[in-house]
Amino acid sequence: MGSVHQGHRARQRKKLLENGPRAFADHELLEMLLYYAIPRRDTNELAHRLLERFGSLQGVFSAPVEELSTVEGVGENAAVLLNLVPQIWQRSLQGAPERILNSVDKCGEYFAELLSGSRREMLWQVCLDGKGKVLSSRCLAEGDVSMAAVSVRQVVEYALRAGAVAVVLAHNHPSGVALPSQEDCATTRLIRDALRTMNIQLVDHIIVADGDYVSMAASGLLI
């Protein structure tokens, strides 16, 4: 069985090097990270177990060591690794220049750059402070993104965890049409109303396509 696992791991690493992380589902990325804490055991089932327990990659990486350790199969090494990764990332951001998104143009340029060249639809959430400084960002969904399937609760929880005063959403249309659908508008308004109950403003939802973008706020669709 050891040789079977090693062969699988080698194939996964080769695929990662050739195609990058976007070629993988969340559980596969988590499975590969766990290789480095659990060298001789299949980590696929454990990755699924962690995502089921904490709801998302963000939930896994936000969990304290004590909670991670309660999941069957997670030893001390794995718990420490999962807890350390986001802390190192946050440390790395401390020396980075501030990114201020305080206008439609700055938001549009930011997401047009972020989503440039992506052939898969992606939905992003960016959390801002009162001056429009980016506090944190994450990909909410990737692939066949359906706004109707977005968890409003998770959007709100992520904003609260980041200490956000405001939020910007963005997603791309690889088909090349930068226009929001009725589903986009309806779900965006649900998120806007949920954030308002926590005194957090949904500043905009940017739709990106072929290097161009449409602002739902500037188009009067968030009124």
Side-chain angles (χ1 to χ4, degrees):
M1 288 299 292
S3 61
V4 172
H5 293 325
Q6 290 304 319
H8 172 69
R9 292 184 177 198
R11 288 190 295 273
Q12 291 292 81
R13 289 193 187 99
K14 184 174 185 291
K15 180 180 175 182
L16 177 66
L17 291 172
E18 292 177 348
N19 301 290
R22 291 181 180 177
F24 293 85
D26 286 355
H27 75 275
E28 293 175 310
L29 291 173
L30 191 55
E31 172 192 353
M32 282 190 287
L33 179 61
L34 289 166
Y35 293 168
Y36 299 96
I38 306 173
R40 296 183 182 85
R41 184 157 49 88
D42 182 13
T43 57
N44 182 278
E45 184 179 344
L46 179 55
H48 281 287
R49 200 178 299 136
L50 283 161
L51 290 171
E52 288 171 6
R53 169 69 180 276
F54 297 107
S56 65
L57 283 176
Q58 176 66 28
V60 172
F61 288 122
S62 299
V65 170
E66 294 76 15
E67 287 191 33
L68 290 166
S69 299
T70 64
V71 177
E72 181 185 352
V74 176
E76 183 179 23
N77 286 346
V80 169
L81 177 64
L82 294 172
N83 186 257
L84 188 60
V85 167
Q87 294 189 55
I88 293 174
W89 172 246
Q90 289 299 323
R91 175 80 65 88
S92 75
L93 295 178
Q94 291 176 10
E98 292 184 354
R99 192 71 184 259
I100 305 295
L101 306 183
N102 57 4
S103 71
V104 170
D105 287 341
K106 287 182 179 179
C107 288
E109 290 167 4
Y110 176 85
F111 287 111
E113 178 184 340
L114 180 67
L115 295 166
S116 174
S118 176
R119 297 180 180 179
R120 303 183 72 193
E121 192 166 347
M122 303 175 73
L123 173 65
W124 281 81
Q125 174 182 352
V126 170
C127 296
L128 309 173
D129 69 6
K131 296 185 295 185
K133 182 179 76 173
V134 175
L135 297 173
S136 61
S137 64
R138 70 162 180 172
C139 180
L140 293 170
E142 182 176 357
D144 295 325
V145 174
S146 170
M147 285 299 295
V150 174
S151 169
V152 176
R153 179 181 62 82
Q154 288 186 7
V155 172
V156 174
E157 287 181 353
Y158 182 64
L160 289 171
R161 194 177 296 121
V165 172
V167 165
V168 182
L169 298 176
H171 76 277
N172 60 323
H173 285 172
S175 62
V177 181
L179 294 173
S181 66
Q182 290 185 349
E183 181 184 90
D184 293 338
C185 295
T187 305
T188 301
R189 293 188 186 109
L190 285 176
I191 293 172
R192 175 202 62 191
D193 294 343
L195 288 169
R196 276 179 180 171
T197 65
M198 299 297 170
N199 295 316
I200 300 171
Q201 180 187 7
L202 179 62
V203 175
D204 209 339
H205 186 159
I206 303 291
I207 317 294
V208 175
D210 286 342
D212 195 10
Y213 62 87
V214 169
S215 160
M216 289 180 62
S219 302
L221 298 174
L222 294 183
I223 299 173

